Amino acid sequence: MPDMTALILEDSQTQAQIVARLIAAQGWSTLHCLTVKDAIDTLKAVKVQALFLDVFIGPQNTLSSLPMFRQLAREAPLIVMTAGSDRESIEYTLESARQAKADYVLRKPFSEKHINDIFGTAFKDQTTVRKKHVLVVEDSAPVCSLVRGTLEFGGYRVSTASSMEDAFKNVDIAHVDVVLCDVFMPGMGGLKGMRTIKKVWPKVPIVAMSAGVESFVSEAEALNAARNLGADAQIRKPFTNDDLLEVVGLVACQDVLID
C-alpha cells in the first residue's frame, strides 16, 4: 500500500491521540490540527487521503465547513466524529452530519474495527464508476442474505441492518442511493423508520417490502401505509430475484457498474 495520511481535526489532544492510534493500526500516518483554520492551511499544503473531523471545535460547528474541506481534498472521504454536546443531542448531530453529506459518521467512542470498516469500504473499489449503494433493512436473516446476494450479483454495493436502530448506527450509510425496507420489524419499525429516512435523506428512494401480518394487517394495507409515509416503490413478499432487481433498478434511476 502506498503511503496513506489522514488529517485529524480535534481540539482535544487526548482524543486526537486515541484516534491517531486507531488510524496507525491500519498502517496510516496522521496529521493533527486543533482548529478549522489550521486544518484548511494544512490541506492547502499537504495532500491527505482521509479527513477525520470532530463536529464541535470549541464554539464552532465544523459541519458548516464541509464544503470547504471537500473542495480542498476532493478525493478524500470526510469522516465526521462526535460524542454529542450540551448544545444538541448526539442523534441530532449525527443526522445533521449525514444531511451535510459527510461520507461517514462515527459516534464516539469508536473502535479500530470501525476505522477498518471505513477504510475497507472507501478504498477497496478504485473503479471510475461508483456502484450504487443499497441499504437493506430486514429482520429476517435468510431474507436479508438472499436480498444482499441478489443485489451484489446485480452490481450494487449493499449494506444491511436487522433493524432501523442498527441502520442509523451503521458508519457505512452516510451516502445511500436506495433503501429497501421491510414494513414490519421490531423496535422503531419500518413505517416510522421510513419517515426518518425521508427526513435524513429526502431524495433517497425507498422500496417497501411486506407480506402483511397474518390476519391483522393485509399486504395491501401495509404497502399503502408505506406509500403514504413516502415509499417510492413497493414489492410484495415472496418475490423473485428478477422482481427485486427490476424494482431497485427502476428507483436507482441510472445504470450501475456490473462486475
Side-chain angles (χ1 to χ4, degrees), residues 2 37 42 44-45 59 62 85 92 95 114 120 125 140 176-177 183 200 252:
K37 182 180 184 303
T42 299
K44 290 178 178 178
T62 61
S85 76
Y92 180 84
E95 179 181 317
H114 290 119
D125 187 0
S140 167
V176 176
D177 297 295
V183 172
V200 178

mmCIF file of all heavy atoms in Angstrom, residues 2 37 42 44-45 59 62 85 92 95 114 120 125 140 176-177 183 200 252:
data_model
loop_
_atom_site.group_PDB
_atom_site.id
_atom_site.type_symbol
_atom_site.label_atom_id
_atom_site.label_comp_id
_atom_site.label_asym_id
_atom_site.label_seq_id
_atom_site.Cartn_x
_atom_site.Cartn_y
_atom_site.Cartn_z
ATOM 1 N N PRO A 2 0.568 2.232 -0.838
ATOM 2 C CA PRO A 2 1.338 3.480 -0.810
ATOM 3 C C PRO A 2 1.141 4.196 0.513
ATOM 4 O O PRO A 2 0.256 3.861 1.292
ATOM 5 C CB PRO A 2 0.723 4.278 -1.969
ATOM 6 C CG PRO A 2 -0.654 3.724 -2.139
ATOM 7 C CD PRO A 2 -0.548 2.272 -1.808
ATOM 8 N N LYS A 37 -9.060 26.555 10.977
ATOM 9 C CA LYS A 37 -8.095 27.322 10.189
ATOM 10 C C LYS A 37 -6.813 26.516 9.970
ATOM 11 O O LYS A 37 -6.268 26.483 8.849
ATOM 12 C CB LYS A 37 -7.771 28.646 10.867
ATOM 13 C CG LYS A 37 -6.795 29.519 10.067
ATOM 14 C CD LYS A 37 -6.494 30.812 10.778
ATOM 15 C CE LYS A 37 -5.611 31.708 9.921
ATOM 16 N NZ LYS A 37 -4.340 31.058 9.534
ATOM 17 N N THR A 42 -3.357 23.442 6.383
ATOM 18 C CA THR A 42 -2.628 22.199 6.151
ATOM 19 C C THR A 42 -3.034 21.567 4.831
ATOM 20 O O THR A 42 -2.181 21.100 4.059
ATOM 21 C CB THR A 42 -2.890 21.202 7.305
ATOM 22 O OG1 THR A 42 -2.428 21.775 8.533
ATOM 23 C CG2 THR A 42 -2.160 19.886 7.063
ATOM 24 N N LYS A 44 -4.087 22.984 2.227
ATOM 25 C CA LYS A 44 -3.573 23.762 1.104
ATOM 26 C C LYS A 44 -2.130 23.407 0.783
ATOM 27 O O LYS A 44 -1.653 23.667 -0.324
ATOM 28 C CB LYS A 44 -3.678 25.254 1.413
ATOM 29 C CG LYS A 44 -5.119 25.783 1.420
ATOM 30 C CD LYS A 44 -5.159 27.266 1.771
ATOM 31 C CE LYS A 44 -6.577 27.808 1.743
ATOM 32 N NZ LYS A 44 -6.645 29.245 2.129
ATOM 33 N N ALA A 45 -1.446 22.797 1.767
ATOM 34 C CA ALA A 45 -0.023 22.486 1.585
ATOM 35 C C ALA A 45 0.260 20.999 1.456
ATOM 36 O O ALA A 45 1.286 20.618 0.871
ATOM 37 C CB ALA A 45 0.774 23.050 2.769
ATOM 38 N N PRO A 59 -16.381 26.588 20.158
ATOM 39 C CA PRO A 59 -17.757 27.010 19.890
ATOM 40 C C PRO A 59 -18.183 26.764 18.444
ATOM 41 O O PRO A 59 -19.341 26.991 18.089
ATOM 42 C CB PRO A 59 -17.717 28.519 20.183
ATOM 43 C CG PRO A 59 -16.309 28.913 19.859
ATOM 44 C CD PRO A 59 -15.449 27.737 20.252
ATOM 45 N N THR A 62 -18.139 22.265 12.846
ATOM 46 C CA THR A 62 -17.367 22.089 11.616
ATOM 47 C C THR A 62 -18.221 21.650 10.429
ATOM 48 O O THR A 62 -17.746 21.671 9.291
ATOM 49 C CB THR A 62 -16.244 21.057 11.818
ATOM 50 O OG1 THR A 62 -16.817 19.795 12.171
ATOM 51 C CG2 THR A 62 -15.295 21.494 12.903
ATOM 52 N N SER A 85 -23.016 16.969 22.419
ATOM 53 C CA SER A 85 -22.606 18.077 23.287
ATOM 54 C C SER A 85 -23.808 18.530 24.087
ATOM 55 O O SER A 85 -24.927 18.036 23.901
ATOM 56 C CB SER A 85 -22.064 19.244 22.456
ATOM 57 O OG SER A 85 -23.126 19.949 21.840
ATOM 58 N N TYR A 92 -29.291 14.171 16.905
ATOM 59 C CA TYR A 92 -29.460 15.341 16.038
ATOM 60 C C TYR A 92 -28.155 15.660 15.312
ATOM 61 O O TYR A 92 -28.146 15.987 14.116
ATOM 62 C CB TYR A 92 -29.918 16.544 16.854
ATOM 63 C CG TYR A 92 -30.116 17.798 16.033
ATOM 64 C CD1 TYR A 92 -31.313 18.027 15.359
ATOM 65 C CD2 TYR A 92 -29.086 18.741 15.910
ATOM 66 C CE1 TYR A 92 -31.490 19.165 14.587
ATOM 67 C CE2 TYR A 92 -29.255 19.876 15.138
ATOM 68 C CZ TYR A 92 -30.463 20.087 14.480
ATOM 69 O OH TYR A 92 -30.621 21.204 13.712
ATOM 70 N N GLU A 95 -27.563 13.111 12.544
ATOM 71 C CA GLU A 95 -28.475 13.386 11.438
ATOM 72 C C GLU A 95 -27.996 14.591 10.635
ATOM 73 O O GLU A 95 -28.004 14.579 9.392
ATOM 74 C CB GLU A 95 -29.877 13.639 11.978
ATOM 75 C CG GLU A 95 -30.908 13.955 10.900
ATOM 76 C CD GLU A 95 -32.272 14.220 11.495
ATOM 77 O OE1 GLU A 95 -32.676 13.485 12.407
ATOM 78 O OE2 GLU A 95 -32.930 15.187 11.047
ATOM 79 N N HIS A 114 -14.193 -0.083 13.515
ATOM 80 C CA HIS A 114 -14.928 0.938 12.766
ATOM 81 C C HIS A 114 -14.022 1.598 11.719
ATOM 82 O O HIS A 114 -14.446 1.831 10.581
ATOM 83 C CB HIS A 114 -15.481 1.997 13.721
ATOM 84 C CG HIS A 114 -16.584 1.495 14.588
ATOM 85 N ND1 HIS A 114 -16.501 1.475 15.957
ATOM 86 C CD2 HIS A 114 -17.803 0.985 14.288
ATOM 87 C CE1 HIS A 114 -17.616 0.986 16.460
ATOM 88 N NE2 HIS A 114 -18.419 0.677 15.470
ATOM 89 N N GLY A 120 -11.882 -0.093 4.517
ATOM 90 C CA GLY A 120 -12.166 -1.198 3.614
ATOM 91 C C GLY A 120 -13.197 -0.838 2.573
ATOM 92 O O GLY A 120 -13.091 -1.229 1.406
ATOM 93 N N ASP A 125 -12.597 -0.227 -3.694
ATOM 94 C CA ASP A 125 -13.095 -0.138 -5.072
ATOM 95 C C ASP A 125 -12.540 1.114 -5.722
ATOM 96 O O ASP A 125 -12.992 2.211 -5.471
ATOM 97 C CB ASP A 125 -14.627 -0.098 -5.079
ATOM 98 C CG ASP A 125 -15.192 -0.185 -6.491
ATOM 99 O OD1 ASP A 125 -14.397 -0.282 -7.431
ATOM 100 O OD2 ASP A 125 -16.422 -0.154 -6.632
ATOM 101 N N SER A 140 -35.289 -10.519 9.080
ATOM 102 C CA SER A 140 -35.135 -11.945 8.790
ATOM 103 C C SER A 140 -33.766 -12.190 8.163
ATOM 104 O O SER A 140 -33.490 -11.715 7.051
ATOM 105 C CB SER A 140 -36.234 -12.419 7.833
ATOM 106 O OG SER A 140 -35.930 -13.706 7.319
ATOM 107 N N VAL A 176 -26.328 6.937 0.735
ATOM 108 C CA VAL A 176 -27.194 5.840 0.345
ATOM 109 C C VAL A 176 -27.945 6.253 -0.912
ATOM 110 O O VAL A 176 -28.411 7.384 -1.020
ATOM 111 C CB VAL A 176 -28.192 5.497 1.471
ATOM 112 C CG1 VAL A 176 -29.163 4.412 1.029
ATOM 113 C CG2 VAL A 176 -27.443 5.060 2.716
ATOM 114 N N ASP A 177 -28.045 5.343 -1.877
ATOM 115 C CA ASP A 177 -28.760 5.638 -3.119
ATOM 116 C C ASP A 177 -30.180 5.091 -3.119
ATOM 117 O O ASP A 177 -31.078 5.681 -3.706
ATOM 118 C CB ASP A 177 -27.994 5.070 -4.315
ATOM 119 C CG ASP A 177 -26.622 5.707 -4.480
ATOM 120 O OD1 ASP A 177 -26.572 6.919 -4.749
ATOM 121 O OD2 ASP A 177 -25.609 5.012 -4.318
ATOM 122 N N VAL A 183 -41.569 -3.525 6.055
ATOM 123 C CA VAL A 183 -42.541 -2.660 6.717
ATOM 124 C C VAL A 183 -42.651 -2.984 8.200
ATOM 125 O O VAL A 183 -42.719 -2.084 9.045
ATOM 126 C CB VAL A 183 -43.917 -2.779 6.036
ATOM 127 C CG1 VAL A 183 -44.979 -2.029 6.832
ATOM 128 C CG2 VAL A 183 -43.849 -2.243 4.605
ATOM 129 N N VAL A 200 -33.838 12.322 6.903
ATOM 130 C CA VAL A 200 -32.369 12.331 6.810
ATOM 131 C C VAL A 200 -31.904 12.415 5.366
ATOM 132 O O VAL A 200 -30.989 13.164 5.036
ATOM 133 C CB VAL A 200 -31.795 11.074 7.484
ATOM 134 C CG1 VAL A 200 -30.271 11.040 7.349
ATOM 135 C CG2 VAL A 200 -32.170 11.037 8.957
ATOM 136 N N ALA A 252 -33.390 3.332 -8.784
ATOM 137 C CA ALA A 252 -31.996 3.771 -8.753
ATOM 138 C C ALA A 252 -31.689 4.758 -9.865
ATOM 139 O O ALA A 252 -30.683 5.483 -9.800
ATOM 140 C CB ALA A 252 -31.048 2.578 -8.840
#
